[in-house]
Structure formats: structure tokens, C-alpha cells
Amino acid sequence: MIKIPVICIDIEASGLGPGSYPIEIAWKCGLTGDSDSFLIDPATGYNWTDWDPAAEDLHHITIDELLAEGVSVREACKRLNTRLHGKTLTCDAVDFDYFWIRRLYESARMNPSFEVQGIDKVLGGGQLIQYRLVANAQVRNHRAMDDVNDLLACLAACDIS
């Protein structure tokens, strides 16, 4: 198991446009291995109707799967807040991931109890270059937990401990 002092998060979404919303969230602690991953039911989100077939081709998550297996936006927020209260999470696409976290919490009329930061907050200049080289060599599955594990592996390769 990778042992690095970060908690990484990744979010899969319905698309990349302004009407997109989160459909899958995963996070994992690099020190303890504690983690969670779940789908989100878009029927429980406010005005969550945007669906990009190209995004579905990338992550292979269908609307039917989300409706059948997804948790409500409110349950997703409670689950994240309970497990991640007071923590700082690291992601590799902070602008997108923060946008989708904001959409999730606004839809539930709640506030996150954790912070989100980009990898630039844990890596220095040379490490960022090394990170990009390692990340570009990866073949990602574009499922949230797979991407979290890939992110942790990249960060471990940059020796951030």
C-alpha cells in the first residue's frame, strides 16, 4: 500500500459544460488506506439534466446505473462531511472538482466540512514536472477510485512524504 500524507479525491461528471454535475465520487487516504466511493443519483439533484454521451463513453457510467445505484445528493454530502470533516483533500483537476463539489453541496443546500486543493499545493516546481511525466505515462480508466489510486501512485513517485 502507498503511504503518503495526503487524502486524494476524484470526481466523475456528466460532462464538462456549465450544466454538468457529479455522478461518482471517490477518495482515499494515502496513510491509512481509508476510502469511499459511490455513485450519485442525478434525479435528486436540482436541475441536473445535462448529459454528455462523450463523457459516458469515457467513464462508462450510464444514467440507468446512476438511477438504480446512486445515493441522493443529500446522502452524498452527509457521507463526505462525516468521513472528511476538517480534512484537506488533494485532486489533480481542482477547478473542475471544486466546481462539481460546489454543484453537489448547493443542490443539497449544505456546505462541505472539508477543503479541496490542487496538487500544486503539495508538490514543488520540480516535483510538478515529475508528476506530469508520471501522470502522462498512465492509462486511466476514468472511474473515480481508479483515478484516485493513480493520483496517489503519481504523488508517491514524486516522493512527497
Side-chain angles (χ1 to χ4, degrees), residues 16 30 38 52 61 70 75 91 93 103 121 124 145 147 152 161:
L16 295 177
F38 52 87
D52 184 347
I61 302 169
E75 176 59 30
C91 59
R103 289 267 346 239
K121 300 297 183 194
M145 187 55 78
D147 288 353
L152 283 166
S161 51

Side-chain angles (χ1 to χ4, degrees), residues 34-60:
D34 192 22
S35 66
D36 194 12
S37 179
F38 52 87
L39 298 173
I40 300 169
D41 179 355
T44 65
Y46 175 73
N47 199 24
W48 285 14
T49 57
D50 184 55
W51 187 258
D52 184 347
E56 182 178 337
D57 288 344
L58 189 63
H59 51 59
H60 304 290

Side-chain angles (χ1 to χ4, degrees), residues 69-148:
E69 299 173 30
V71 301
S72 72
V73 296
R74 194 147 182 81
E75 176 59 30
C77 292
K78 286 180 182 178
R79 198 161 158 171
L80 291 167
N81 279 352
T82 298
R83 300 285 302 278
L84 301 169
H85 180 78
K87 307 281 193 244
T88 299
L89 311 176
T90 301
C91 59
D92 60 356
V94 70
D95 292 337
F96 285 111
D97 291 334
Y98 185 73
F99 170 78
W100 292 314
I101 287 170
R102 202 171 67 244
R103 289 267 346 239
L104 176 68
Y105 278 86
E106 285 173 356
S107 190
R109 294 190 172 145
M110 295 174 68
N111 292 309
S113 66
F114 54 88
E115 300 290 326
V116 178
Q117 67 183 4
I119 58 168
D120 60 317
K121 300 297 183 194
V122 295
L123 298 177
Q127 288 174 316
L128 275 171
I129 293 168
Q130 184 179 3
Y131 170 83
R132 288 186 187 109
L133 290 171
V134 173
N136 287 338
Q138 290 179 328
V139 176
R140 291 207 171 173
N141 292 325
H142 294 289
R143 287 299 299 258
M145 187 55 78
D146 291 335
D147 288 353
V148 162

